[in-house]
Structures are given as C-alpha cells and as structure tokens.
Amino acid sequence: PPLAKSDYLMADKERSIRTVMKGLSGPITVNGKNYNSIMPEVPITDEQIADVLTYIRNEWGNSGDPVTVNEVKKVRGETN
C-alpha cells in the first residue's frame, strides 16, 4: 500500500506503531483501494520506530504530529 498521502497511515497513530512493531496481515483499504498482503514485524528499537514513523508521517504529502518514544512504549506495553 502507498505511504504517500495515506489516509490509513494518518488515521490512527497507535495502529501505525502496532503495525511496525507487530506486523500486519489481511485486507486493508488505503486511499480507497483494497490491499491484502503481509508486512512482517520489524525488529527495531522504540526510538527507531518513533523516528521512522515521524519521518513517514511528514513525507510524501503527509503532515502529522511526531511519534514519540513514550507513545511507542505505551503501545508496546499494551501489546505484550
């Protein structure tokens, strides 16, 4: 799925964190188009997750709040 101007990415910051942290499989809809694939979990640190998502949320036509390490830690605590 596209990251450029992605309504799926920008709609739910915690879901984006969980997706990087734990991966994602199954159908999703991004910018009105259906996708059904697999994204494996990415074994990176909480700081790296925050940095990567902050970058993605502010590139390719996206404009969003930064993702903080504390937000990542909160989601990690809820998913463990």
Side-chain angles (χ1 to χ4, degrees):
L3 296 175
K5 299 181 182 177
S6 173
D7 59 354
Y8 184 87
L9 170 73
M10 301 306 291
D12 187 337
K13 191 190 290 189
E14 288 187 6
R15 177 180 62 197
S16 296
I17 294 168
R18 266 191 310 280
T19 299
V20 173
M21 192 178 292
K22 297 293 185 179
L24 178 70
S25 64
I28 62 171
T29 302
V30 180
N31 299 341
K33 186 172 178 186
N34 295 324
Y35 296 88
N36 190 356
S37 191
I38 296 172
M39 178 181 155
E41 74 179 73
V42 182
I44 57 178
T45 68
D46 291 353
E47 287 179 353
Q48 291 169 323
I49 291 171
D51 289 346
V52 166
L53 285 174
T54 295
Y55 177 79
I56 292 169
R57 289 172 52 83
N58 287 284
E59 283 295 319
W60 307 298
N62 299 318
S63 179
D65 297 337
V67 175
T68 68
V69 173
N70 286 338
E71 289 172 313
V72 176
K73 288 180 187 297
K74 177 182 178 268
V75 171
R76 186 176 299 285
E78 293 170 356
T79 59
N80 284 336

